[in-house]
Amino acid sequence: MNDNGGMQKRMLIMTLVVFAFFIAYEFLVLKPQQEEKAKQQEIAKEQKQNSAPDVTSVSNAPVAQSQDDMNKSIQALSSKAIGSSNILTTIKTNRNIIEIDRLGRVAQVTLLEAKYKDEDGNQIKLFEADQLRPLEVRFANTNINDEAFKVSYETTATNVDATKEAQKFTLVQKLSDITLTKNFTVYPNGHYDLDISTDKKEQYFITNGFRPNVLADMYADHGLYLKLNDGTMELTSDEDLDKVKSYTGIKFVSNFDRYYATVIYNFDNSLQVSLMPDNNNNPQGFVHVTEKISFSGYMGPKHFNDLKALHPELTDVIEYGWFTFIAKPMFTLLQFIQSYVGNWGWTIVILTILIKLVLYPLSYKGMVSMNKLKELAPKMKEIQEKYKNDKQKQSMHMMELYKKHNANPMGGCLPLILQIPVFFAIYRVLLNAIELKGAEWIFWVHDLAEMDPYFVLPILMGASMWLQQKITPNTMQDEMQKKIFQMLPIIFTFFFLWFPAGLTLYWFVNNVFTIAQQYYINQMFEKKRAAKK
């Protein structure tokens, strides 16, 4: 590094690159995808409205409709609406309603817990009507497969009440040359066991379906997740699969969006799974079967304690990205604090303070180094001017200056770099924690998993970032760099307007304590300077 200006430039670039990734990914990748998807859904909806007779009857209904009737009419036009004539068996548990269609597939799962509601106030439904559906069976023999998609299953129960105790029922599909049987056991907590068999030895595949489509955005991964017998995890994101991939020794296959997942798992007898891309290169998982197979399944929120109750390894369904090794213990700590505090908002505040205390030695070194560099700024400028035509001498005199005053040009940068993994870990924890769904904090924040409805926290976060910037020593010589750096609070505030309130709360509290630390160190240097006079 030739001079402090170069160091400052690298620090600026590093800070900007982190956030530029989010900006570029949203506007260059996700936004076009979402626009195209919305366009296709709108076309499909229009086709459905033009072809479905019940839609006409809705439009011709009396004007004086009740609010409930109007809501039902609107829901009937939803991309997640399933025609009741296609439903063979309806299962009710304490946590969801599972609808099985005439081809033995999961047509829809509706979450029943009060906190799981969409933006219109309706209970969340996990699947689109036209997506690949969980538990669909496909035969390797094309003749059998063609017939299988034309012949309806028979059921032993059209309505299954599993709210109090586990219930069993059976689906049977009788084809010309083979009979397939699905024996279900459904439990009050919403998960199921499934035994599938055929009366003849024939290869077939059963799919976990396309992922839940409730919340798929740029801020969290969504796609398909595998856990192998050796404990390694394999993530395939949406639009990232260009060819068929096959795996043996699989413990679970999970199709997921930000908060919800559809999981097939067997921790006793491993599965063989192939991933096949759809038309948009999204991953579709197919479990290989010859004659018979047994496994368990779960469709619902990626709630840590619920998954752990089913099997401890199922908590690996929750994906935290590159820094999982930090994020998982951090979430454990978060839960531990919440068990005593009882409020997720204050839990985030306490966790933030604990993190700041742990990282204080690093922060302290970085802040002290920046103050030293600020004091040396006039001398550094003199050297730059004196040797502006001889970079080698300029660099040599700069290093002598740093050595004489025990200053480290990387002192402010290195502590920041070391803190980045911790930041991203807590970022992913708060971003993926569905436990924050419906969790109130204070006054106006009624759901920490949603954006602040009045933008109070983002504005406070931006203001605190601006104040932090004001009191932080800045030795940048380039005016353009200064202007760009001064724009960061505005840019961050803009993007945080739509971030979950829990994540914005973390960043705001983090800024407040950083300001306190910086103020203390600034005062310490002021006293030293005053003592020298």
Side-chain angles (χ1 to χ4, degrees), residues 511-528:
N511 284 352
V512 169
F513 278 84
T514 301
I515 290 168
Q517 289 176 359
Q518 188 69 63
Y519 179 79
Y520 167 75
I521 290 170
N522 289 355
Q523 291 296 107
M524 182 180 71
F525 269 81
E526 284 296 326
K527 289 180 181 178
K528 286 183 179 180

Side-chain angles (χ1 to χ4, degrees), residues 17-34 211 215-222 237-238 257-258 319 424 427-428 431-432 494-496 498-500 503:
V17 163
V18 172
F19 214 76
F21 168 79
F22 292 99
I23 300 171
Y25 191 68
E26 179 178 22
F27 288 98
L28 300 181
V29 181
L30 282 172
K31 191 173 181 180
Q33 292 173 5
Q34 291 167 351
R211 62 165 171 76
L215 185 59
D217 55 29
M218 66 167 287
Y219 303 115
D221 289 327
H222 41 87
S237 298
D238 284 347
D257 68 3
R258 182 160 148 193
E319 191 268 331
F424 274 108
Y427 167 81
R428 292 306 294 262
L431 197 65
N432 290 281
F494 175 77
F495 280 97
F496 268 77
W498 295 277
F499 269 34
L503 185 60

Side-chain angles (χ1 to χ4, degrees), residues 70-244:
M70 288 177 66
N71 289 341
K72 289 177 182 177
S73 298
I74 293 170
Q75 288 181 48
L77 302 178
S78 167
S79 61
K80 296 187 177 183
I82 305 295
S84 59
S85 60
N86 293 322
I87 302 304
L88 187 64
T89 298
T90 300
I91 308 154
K92 185 174 183 181
T93 72
N94 285 330
R95 294 179 179 170
N96 57 30
I97 293 175
I98 304 171
E99 296 172 283
I100 308 292
D101 70 12
R102 294 188 176 277
L103 291 179
R105 309 171 301 187
V106 176
Q108 191 56 273
V109 172
T110 305
L111 305 182
L112 295 179
E113 293 178 78
K115 64 180 178 178
Y116 298 122
K117 290 186 178 181
D118 61 23
E119 59 274 10
D120 298 318
N122 302 314
Q123 294 303 134
I124 285 174
K125 297 180 184 295
L126 296 185
F127 307 122
E128 296 291 334
D130 59 351
Q131 71 179 61
L132 178 67
R133 300 182 183 182
L135 306 187
E136 177 176 295
V137 170
R138 296 186 182 181
F139 287 90
N141 185 312
T142 55
N143 293 326
I144 297 176
N145 196 58
D146 289 342
E147 183 185 5
F149 276 88
K150 298 173 184 175
V151 177
S152 296
Y153 279 71
E154 298 173 3
T155 183
T156 59
T158 55
N159 288 285
V160 177
D161 186 352
T163 55
K164 295 181 179 178
E165 59 183 6
Q167 298 290 333
K168 297 179 183 291
F169 71 97
T170 300
L171 299 178
V172 178
Q173 187 181 44
K174 297 177 180 178
L175 305 177
S176 301
D177 296 322
I178 193 170
T179 297
L180 184 142
T181 303
K182 295 181 177 180
N183 290 310
F184 283 86
T185 303
V186 187
Y187 298 87
N189 62 9
H191 91 283
Y192 64 86
D193 297 332
L194 180 58
D195 299 320
I196 308 176
S197 62
T198 53
D199 61 352
K200 292 181 180 178
K201 193 172 184 179
E202 192 72 45
Q203 185 180 16
Y204 56 97
F205 308 89
I206 185 162
T207 179
N208 201 28
F210 188 64
R211 62 165 171 76
N213 192 28
V214 183
L215 185 59
D217 55 29
M218 66 167 287
Y219 303 115
D221 289 327
H222 41 87
L224 186 145
Y225 213 23
L226 298 171
K227 182 169 187 179
L228 284 68
N229 284 341
D230 62 6
T232 58
M233 306 295 298
E234 182 83 17
L235 171 66
T236 305
S237 298
D238 284 347
E239 302 184 344
D240 201 30
L241 183 68
D242 56 3
K243 61 182 179 180
V244 174

